[in-house]
Structure formats: C-alpha cells, structure tokens
Amino acid sequence: MPELPELYVAVDVEADGPIPGPYSMLSLGMAVAGRPDLSFYTELRPISDDFVPEALAVSGLDRDRLLREAPPPEVAMAAAARWVNGLRRIGRPVFLAAPAVWDGMYVHWYFVRFTGRNPFGTTGSGVDLRSYWMGVTGSEWSGSHKSQIKKRFGLEKLPHTHHAGEDAAELAQVFDAVLRREQT
C-alpha cells in the first residue's frame, strides 16, 4: 500500500499578547496547501484578563464578544485536533506557518495545555515559509519575506487581513505556488 502524501497545513493565529499562557490565542485558522476545500477556523474564549492593546488591535477581534460567545479553549482545540486528525484519512498533516516560531508557539502550547497532545507531533515542529524559501532559492533572510514570495508568483493581490482563517488560506496558496515551482 503506497504511503499517503504529506498535507501542508497552513496555520495562522491571532493573539492578544507576545506569549501563550499570560496572554490568549483569540483565533486559529488552518488550510491545506493545494486543497482550498480543506480549511478550519475557530475563535477562542480568552484565558486571562491580560492583553496588550496593540496586539489585540492587529486582529480587530472584540475580547468582550469572545468572552461571551467564543468556545472555551478546551472545546475549540478539541475541534481543531479532530479536524487535523481527520486529514489522516487522505494524507499526513505537516504544520506550516509564517513564521512557524510565532504561530507554532501558540498552537503547540494550546494543543498540549487543552487537549493533552499536539496532533502535529510531540515537538510541535513544522515548516516555516521563509526558511523553506531560503533553502529552495539560496536567498538570504532579507529576501525571504512573504510579500516578496507573493510577488515572485504574481500573488500580490492575495490579501493579508489578520483574520486567522483568511490568512491561513493566503499562506496555503503561497506555499502551494512554491511547491508547484519545485515540481516543474
């Protein structure tokens, strides 16, 4: 039986501070590169009263609304884990982010804290778009910004909205273009 293909799951997080724990992940979006039909989005109830106003302003999310209406992290992260694990029927999910350090820090901490394990693996490791691009092209860090990659593939009009679901879809499209470049 042939091995299932890798599925690059583009992940984006919106948060209200610089680290998980003292601050909250407010939304989580995931989208599979090359498969626009496969996506996931949830908002989360904040876990603390602390937040950095400037960080909160980036997403435009309303903390008061999230406190009233968003699912608790246990529920949201369990749903996210079910979605990732459901992908295993068709492939092997691989975490992808830009930057993987930021989004991965929140995603790994939240999965472990609220579900007991990260469905992407025990280390929470994955692919970072800029690092991947540097490896593929030999470019320096300064030449690996997502906006430069988007320009290279004529994707400049793809919006980056700071909505986790939309930004995950954007990243999935960008990474799919990079992968298709490698296959030609």
Side-chain angles (χ1 to χ4, degrees), residues 5-183:
E6 289 183 338
L7 299 175
Y8 296 98
V9 181
V11 178
D12 189 74
V13 164
E14 296 300 326
D16 64 9
I19 58 172
Y23 303 101
S24 303
M25 179 165 64
L26 303 176
S27 62
L28 168 65
M30 298 186 279
V32 176
R35 293 290 308 267
D37 57 314
L38 296 175
S39 63
F40 176 89
Y41 176 77
T42 189
E43 293 176 347
L44 298 90
R45 186 175 302 152
I47 60 171
S48 86
D49 293 332
D50 295 332
F51 66 94
V52 176
E54 297 82 7
L56 181 60
V58 169
S59 70
L61 290 166
D62 180 338
R63 273 183 62 90
D64 292 333
R65 182 187 64 78
L66 294 174
L67 286 165
R68 287 189 317 272
E69 300 173 9
E74 298 86 351
V75 172
M77 297 311 291
R82 281 192 303 277
W83 184 82
V84 172
N85 287 326
L87 294 173
R88 295 182 194 293
R89 293 186 310 266
I90 60 169
R92 296 174 289 138
V94 177
F95 181 90
L96 162 69
V101 171
W102 166 259
D103 298 282
M105 169 180 59
Y106 268 95
V107 169
H108 184 68
W109 191 91
Y110 265 74
F111 272 130
V112 172
R113 172 69 178 86
F114 295 109
T115 72
R117 69 179 295 275
N118 184 342
F120 290 109
T122 57
T123 64
S125 62
V127 176
D128 175 80
L129 175 66
R130 291 181 75 174
S131 299
Y132 187 89
W133 185 251
M134 289 170 62
V136 165
T137 64
S139 71
E140 293 183 347
W141 180 253
S142 61
S144 67
H145 195 273
K146 184 170 47 171
S147 63
Q148 294 164 307
I149 300 169
K150 286 169 64 171
K151 185 175 182 177
R152 162 72 169 78
F153 292 104
L155 300 172
E156 306 99 301
K157 292 185 180 177
L158 275 181
H160 187 82
T161 62
H162 294 288
H163 177 284
E166 294 169 0
D167 289 353
E170 172 209 18
L171 175 58
Q173 290 178 57
V174 170
F175 196 69
D176 185 52
V178 172
L179 288 176
R180 282 187 285 118
R181 171 197 183 273
E182 290 309 296
Q183 296 169 356

